[in-house]
Amino acid sequence: MSAGIDLENVCCDFGSFRAVDTANVSIQPGEFFSFLGPSGCGKTTILRMISGFIDPTEGQIRIGGKDMKGQRPNQRPTALIFQNLALFPLMPIWENITFGLEVRGVDKVTRRAKAEELLRLVDLPGAGDKMVSQLSGGQKQRVAIARALAVEPAVMLLDEPLSALDLKLRQHMRAELRAIQKRTGVTFIYITHDQGEALAMSDRVGVMSQGRIQQIADPRDIYNNPVNGFVASFVGENNIFEGKAAAPSEGLAGFETAHGTFRARLAPDAVGKAVKLYVRPEHTVLTAKAGKENSVPVTITEVSFEGAFITVHGIGDSGKTITAEIRNDGSATVPDVGAKLHASFDAARASLLPDANVRA
Amino acid sequence: MQDLLRRYGPGLTGLISLLVAFWLVMLVIVPNITLFEQSFRPYLPVTEVGGPRDIYSFNNYLKVFDGDVTKTFFGHEYRIPVHVLTFSLTIWYSILVTITCFAIAYPLAFYLAKVVSPKSLPTLFLLLFVPLWVSEVLRAFAWWIILALKGPLNALLLFIGAIDKPVRWIVDYDAVMVGLVYTYVLFMLFPIYNAISSLDTNQIEAADDLGAPWWKIHLRIVMPHAKPGIASGSVMVFMLSAGSLLVPSILGSTTSQWFTQTIDQWFKDALDWNTASAYAFLLLILCTVFVSFAMWVFKVKLSDIAK
Ligand SMILES: Nc1ncnc2c1ncn2[C@@H]1O[C@H](COP(=O)(O)OP(=O)(O)O)[C@@H](O)[C@H]1O
Ligand SMILES: [Mg+2]
């Protein structure tokens, strides 16, 4: 069972401070949806409104088409996984997992069996009689997921569940979470400030800044076609040029900067706004001769080897620093520090974007 | 000790140790040992102290079994030594006081720890503390006045029409209970408040989110977490109540007798310090046994209470 969730013009005020501003999003049943944004942008607040711990100041939240106004957390078909997990330290694992069934009056034998079944699902068979303090971080994580799944929620809400784990475990748990979501078919709403996590796991991502949802799209679109400078910068690296855009033709517009005149994509709704040019390092190429267009002469200042790719930093004549990424597959020669080259980019790979959509 | 030596040098450390030792030995251990020793000796005229009749025995302790009274309990008549009866009633009413204190303190502690906004906490704590600034004697007398037949409580109840003739409140152990609860409820409140404050609010929300009704959240999450606080509060209130002399003396009725009053009478009326000491140690030992038993029943460890 899974349910869709609709937020319609949802706002949340704390006193005079607006933590969430006019959020509109429609999450499909069975979808893995992430809210991505820096700390303090209102992600937890959105999640707590969906689970019923806070009432929206304005707007409507629907789960499975039903208005949730006035419904207590224990009346909603949601299960929240807290940022700090909030397992019950005084109960053994199996009681933790089946607490939601205990309060529904399920008998002990059935609960014990259900606990074992869920422990197998999260790959922790036989851990039922241990205490919470005996488990490692990753194991606690799994118990929290099992505890939430036990009540068979239509929607799982996860608040930065992997942030306390170390890198290796985090990557493993990403795949695990995604697999559990696929297996159970439950709608997952996932919160994170880690763009890698959001892009790797989600069907769709909602990027947030200062209480506003900036863009909702699938991970590729978020990365390849960000709608504004905030999204572009939050999900990856960029070379950014300031300047003035001319009128676009066929989606491309001229862009006058202190480093020369470039051409880049300009979305129709960005026409007339103040924009900057964003181009990703992996779309920035370094060549011995100047390119036809969008080319800047640079002197290489640093070459750092990252493994799968090599990051090259250069500085232009006008003092502008430029970063390029070369794949470590032998297809391109790695320049030396001090080399004088030309950095250029394809106009179709560069975007002219306004700044973030924030309150004035 | 090593730490003290390093910080204050041998001179000051020696002085501190000496003072602590003096306080412990001269002011705590010696008087108690003296009384303990006396409690095994008979009460004799001065001339016979140290004489042939001054020998150790349990006679003083066995005096609690002297002098039966007849009582009825649910229509069943039985005889019971009067001091054993007093002792049993003292324990019984101390248990009731402890339970009442818990019933008042637990909701209040939860409210203070988890519901109230932190901004108004100082004011609320001040309000709770103010009565403590008044001496215990005055507080007991205040209740005596309030509960008197022609006192303000009856006047108020008559005025609002809740009763139509004055109620005698200071009867049997009722006023003693009121006084003890009022005097010792804060000793229950603070340990429970501390324990509940240390509970992660997310655990309450998690239980709520999983569908638990409010009473289940308290039974399964809050109370187990607060158990050490509840235990130390209960032990304190129970021991203080059973050992209280002032409140039962002031608020007692003609039909109430607290065990401490019996001890007091041995000291002051009979001037028999030997039996008085024996009774005092009896109270201490039996209360300790009772508390240990209660802790065993509720599976509370001593280390929980020390926290
Ligand atoms: N109960 C509250 N009272 C006042 N301000 C709050 C409260 N909860 C959150 N905030 C504020 O709302 C903003 C968003 O918080 P939150 O949703 O927790 O952010 P995130 O989870 O994205 O880090 C923050 O600036 C935070 O300080
Ligand atoms: Mg958060």
Side-chain angles (χ1 to χ4, degrees), chain A residues 232-291:
Chain A
S233 304
F234 198 76
V235 299
E237 299 298 318
N238 296 280
N239 292 309
I240 304 172
F241 295 90
E242 293 183 26
K244 238 177 103 63
S249 68
E250 290 167 28
L252 295 181
F255 191 67
E256 204 128 345
T257 75
H259 321 284
T261 301
F262 302 130
R263 248 165 27 103
R265 293 183 300 171
L266 181 64
D269 60 352
V271 174
K273 289 187 190 167
V275 292
K276 293 183 185 137
L277 188 151
Y278 293 80
V279 61
R280 301 237 182 255
E282 67 268 27
H283 296 145
T284 306
V285 290
L286 294 166
T287 47
K289 276 192 272 177

Side-chain angles (χ1 to χ4, degrees), chain A residues 14 17 19 38-45:
Chain A
F14 295 115
F17 174 73
S39 174
C41 71
K43 306 182 295 291
T44 299
T45 307

Side-chain angles (χ1 to χ4, degrees), chain A residues 17-153:
Chain A
F17 174 73
R18 178 149 281 199
V20 174
D21 190 15
T22 334
N24 278 293
V25 55
S26 216
I27 298 165
Q28 303 305 311
E31 187 171 5
F32 196 121
F33 189 95
S34 295
F35 283 105
L36 170 68
S39 174
C41 71
K43 306 182 295 291
T44 299
T45 307
I46 285 200
L47 215 59
R48 291 174 66 83
M49 284 194 287
I50 296 174
S51 54
F53 289 111
I54 323 178
D55 292 321
T57 316
E58 285 166 40
Q60 193 185 52
I61 295 173
R62 289 187 299 273
I63 301 180
K66 221 174 101 206
D67 185 5
M68 284 292 124
K69 194 171 170 59
Q71 301 273 303
R72 299 256 316 108
N74 57 17
Q75 297 167 316
R76 301 190 183 201
T78 57
L80 176 60
I81 294 185
F82 290 77
Q83 202 157 358
N84 66 356
L85 305 184
L87 296 177
F88 307 130
L90 300 178
M91 298 181 199
I93 298 305
W94 78 268
E95 282 187 24
N96 257 282
I97 292 177
T98 56
F99 184 78
L101 303 177
E102 182 187 327
V103 302
R104 284 165 178 73
V106 177
D107 69 275
K108 192 169 168 180
V109 177
T110 316
R111 279 190 281 135
R112 198 63 236 235
K114 184 74 186 173
E116 214 37 62
E117 182 192 324
L118 283 159
L119 280 168
R120 273 197 302 278
L121 179 76
V122 296
D123 207 13
L124 268 181
D129 287 315
K130 289 197 181 147
M131 295 305 281
V132 174
S133 57
Q134 291 171 289
L135 301 187
S136 70
Q139 290 172 325
K140 283 183 192 156
Q141 191 62 62
R142 289 158 203 254
V143 172
I145 293 164
R147 185 178 71 175
L149 286 172
V151 296
E152 298 181 355

Side-chain angles (χ1 to χ4, degrees), chain B:
Chain B
M1 199 68 207
Q2 295 285 314
D3 214 39
L4 277 181
L5 256 178
R6 210 162 348 100
R7 201 173 298 174
Y8 300 114
L12 204 52
T13 309
L15 186 67
I16 293 171
S17 313
L18 258 169
L19 285 174
V20 171
F22 175 79
W23 175 71
L24 261 180
V25 174
M26 293 309 290
L27 301 180
V28 179
I29 296 176
V30 169
N32 273 295
I33 288 201
T34 314
L35 283 179
F36 191 62
E37 194 256 352
Q38 290 224 355
S39 72
F40 293 103
R41 285 163 45 185
Y43 175 50
L44 295 169
V46 192
T47 47
E48 285 191 48
V49 171
R53 288 178 55 205
D54 199 355
I55 46 166
Y56 290 125
S57 74
F58 280 105
N59 287 343
N60 292 333
Y61 288 84
L62 294 174
K63 278 186 197 158
V64 286
F65 295 113
D66 294 348
D68 287 5
V69 287
T70 308
K71 285 268 153 191
T72 43
F73 188 70
F74 286 111
H76 177 77
E77 218 170 78
Y78 63 98
R79 297 182 61 74
I80 184 168
V82 62
H83 293 161
V84 173
L85 177 70
T86 304
F87 180 80
S88 313
L89 287 173
T90 301
I91 296 291
W92 169 242
Y93 283 109
S94 297
I95 293 172
L96 286 188
V97 168
T98 309
I99 293 171
T100 312
C101 282
F102 172 74
I104 296 170
Y106 179 83
L108 188 57
F110 183 80
Y111 176 77
L112 289 173
K114 291 293 167 202
V115 183
V116 159
S117 89
K119 257 184 277 162
S120 44
L121 261 187
T123 322
L124 287 169
F125 271 110
L126 192 69
L127 285 177
L128 286 170
F129 268 122
V130 164
L132 281 189
W133 298 350
V134 178
S135 126
E136 201 181 326
V137 186
L138 278 181
R139 274 181 284 153
F141 269 117
W143 272 109
W144 190 74
I145 292 167
I146 292 171
L147 297 175
L149 194 63
K150 291 183 177 159
L153 181 63
N154 275 330
L156 180 73
L157 290 176
L158 281 170
F159 178 73
I160 61 169
I163 51 175
D164 42 37
K165 62 178 195 311
V167 175
R168 196 172 284 283
W169 299 107
I170 306 179
V171 49
D172 211 16
Y173 285 86
D174 295 2
V176 178
M177 289 269 297
V178 170
L180 288 174
V181 167
Y182 181 73
T183 310
Y184 297 127
V185 70
L186 291 187
F187 289 90
M188 184 70 93
L189 180 74
F190 288 113
I192 300 183
Y193 168 79
N194 274 333
I196 297 181
S197 300
S198 69
L199 175 66
D200 175 12
T201 307
N202 281 350
Q203 284 194 26
I204 299 174
E205 292 188 340
D208 188 3
D209 192 49
L210 290 167
W214 64 269
W215 57 269
K216 190 93 184 177
I217 295 176
H218 283 280
L219 224 54
R220 288 289 268 141
I221 312 293
V222 187
M223 280 192 197
H225 178 87
K227 198 161 121 181
I230 296 171
S232 56
S234 301
V235 169
M236 253 194 286
V237 169
F238 176 79
M239 289 300 241
L240 288 169
S241 297
S244 173
L245 176 60
L246 193 98
V247 173
S249 308
I250 294 174
L251 289 171
S253 69
T254 45
T255 52
S256 75
Q257 172 79 354
W258 213 245
F259 198 68
T260 49
Q261 289 176 290
T262 308
I263 299 174
D264 192 49
Q265 282 154 8
W266 279 118
F267 269 120
K268 296 215 193 101
D269 299 346
L271 293 174
D272 180 351
W273 281 46
N274 305 79
T275 309
S277 309
Y279 273 44
F281 281 105
L282 210 56
L283 178 68
L284 176 68
I285 292 161
L286 289 177
C287 280
T288 309
V289 168
F290 177 80
V291 165
S292 314
F293 174 73
M295 280 166 60
W296 176 75
V297 168
F298 289 107
K299 298 198 181 69
V300 180
K301 287 198 265 324
L302 202 59
S303 54
D304 289 342
I305 292 186
K307 261 189 272 187

